[in-house]
Amino acid sequence: MASINRLIGLALATATMLATPALAQDWQPRKPVEFVVASGAGGGTDQFARIIQSIIQKNDLMPVSIVVSNKGGGAGTEAFVDGKLAGNDPHKLVFGTNNEWLLPMVTKAAYAPGDLQPVAAMAMDEFLLWTHTNAPYESAADFVAKAKEGNMKVGGSQSKDTDQILSKHLEHATGTKFTYIPFKSGGEAATQLAGAHLEANFNNPQENVAQWRGGMVRPLCVFSPERMDYKEKVTDTMSWNDIPTCKEEGIAVEDYKMPRTIWMNAEVPQEAVAYYADVLSKVREAPEWKEWLTRTSQTDSFLTGEGFTKLVETEKAKARQLFEREGWLVTN
């Protein structure tokens, strides 16, 4: 009898475990879903949200329509505050980058990272060291040697944000000191570099590719453990894969990437978060998504749940160490 009871108990436990995912899958949005974008129209985060919107709608991955709203005020804090104010409404997702956790560390923001919960990280932007075509150095090693002489002007998008953070990592790794000039966007920094008003910038591939094709700028190295995968020629002589890693050039900044991220209010039920994570996992299988990654030269990387949370905690710890060293850290 004991054996029979034990078998019955195991069967019930198994049935319960099998039923749990099914209950989560039963949740679906009941009204139009809003994608809130932490940037202006046309920026990288906006393109990220809109390609996902188009794939979902083309393939009927959700039973409701999707509206994209751009709320890039305060360097993107406007969008995250909107997510905070949404409460437990499961029909609003916020699209950003690592700015979700970086912004409250360096500015008085009206939200805290814990006000939102991660849904998914979908891709990684690579970062490169770029210079203008007429610069006297042919390699990243030459660039560092010249930078050690001082008075090197570099630029990027915003201050105390992703580009300037990378410039500080490079300073600490090489014993250099840059004069960093912030611009409103990576596109503006690319224009300034193409005109030789800067000696370098720290843009992702998409932000500088037009100037590279036009012969106005050239990449010196990519901040990645391995060379980029894309082997199709961008210029007559080079592909992304031909660009050496910064580590190959003797620079001890081996890996620096920016994740494309999606968030919801921390009060949203887990079954809703699981629903959207599942939808996004289907998005990344679409040929349009793979084409977008190739076109923008991003690295495919899909994280949800514990994996995403671990990434955030690791990156926050690294950022805090740098911000404390630079005197940028604020207390909200």
Side-chain angles (χ1 to χ4, degrees), residues 25-38:
Q25 291 169 7
D26 284 344
W27 188 91
Q28 287 189 336
R30 302 182 305 278
K31 63 181 183 179
V33 171
E34 183 180 9
F35 285 1
V36 183
V37 178

Side-chain angles (χ1 to χ4, degrees), residues 27-258:
W27 188 91
Q28 287 189 336
R30 302 182 305 278
K31 63 181 183 179
V33 171
E34 183 180 9
F35 285 1
V36 183
V37 178
S39 77
T45 304
D46 180 61
Q47 294 177 37
F48 170 51
R50 292 183 189 276
I51 187 66
I52 291 175
Q53 175 200 35
S54 68
I55 291 170
I56 290 173
Q57 294 184 333
K58 177 182 178 180
N59 295 282
D60 294 323
L61 298 181
M62 283 169 43
V64 296
S65 60
I66 301 168
V67 177
V68 177
S69 303
N70 294 94
K71 298 187 178 181
T77 56
E78 180 186 6
F80 298 118
V81 170
D82 192 44
K84 170 187 175 179
L85 298 176
N88 63 359
D89 182 2
H91 299 88
K92 188 187 293 280
L93 290 86
V94 182
F95 284 69
T97 61
N98 51 4
N99 53 359
E100 193 274 345
W101 63 85
L102 292 180
L103 286 170
M105 298 174 75
V106 297
T107 187
K108 293 287 186 180
Y111 78 97
D115 293 329
L116 304 171
Q117 62 179 313
V119 178
M122 294 282 289
M124 292 284 185
D125 264 14
E126 303 286 351
F127 277 80
L128 293 88
L129 174 62
W130 300 85
T131 191
H132 58 86
T133 301
N134 296 324
Y137 22 83
E138 294 299 322
S139 68
D142 292 342
F143 170 84
V144 169
K146 182 67 174 176
K148 288 181 178 179
E149 297 177 10
N151 301 316
M152 178 79 78
K153 288 199 302 183
V154 303
S157 176
Q158 310 292 341
S159 62
K160 300 179 182 177
D161 202 352
T162 307
D163 294 359
Q164 190 174 14
I165 292 169
L166 178 52
S167 79
K168 289 299 179 182
H169 283 306
L170 188 58
E171 285 182 354
H172 298 159
T174 60
T176 54
K177 185 70 176 178
F178 301 118
T179 299
Y180 181 86
I181 301 173
F183 297 96
K184 293 180 180 178
S185 66
E188 187 176 341
T191 300
Q192 294 297 316
L193 182 64
H197 303 298
L198 302 170
E199 289 301 312
N201 71 11
F202 305 95
N203 274 353
N204 61 38
Q206 188 65 13
E207 289 171 327
N208 268 28
V209 67
Q211 289 84 357
W212 187 25
R213 286 197 181 102
M216 294 176 283
V217 304
R218 50 192 170 88
L220 295 176
C221 65
V222 57
F223 294 94
S224 177
E226 299 176 351
R227 294 193 180 199
M228 297 171 66
D229 290 336
Y230 304 110
K231 296 182 179 181
E232 183 178 347
K233 296 297 182 186
V234 178
T235 69
D236 290 339
T237 59
M238 289 187 70
S239 70
W240 296 111
N241 183 256
D242 293 320
I243 302 167
T245 68
C246 297
K247 184 180 180 180
E248 288 177 58
E249 294 290 301
I251 297 174
V253 183
E254 182 177 349
D255 193 11
Y256 189 84
K257 294 179 174 65
M258 181 180 73

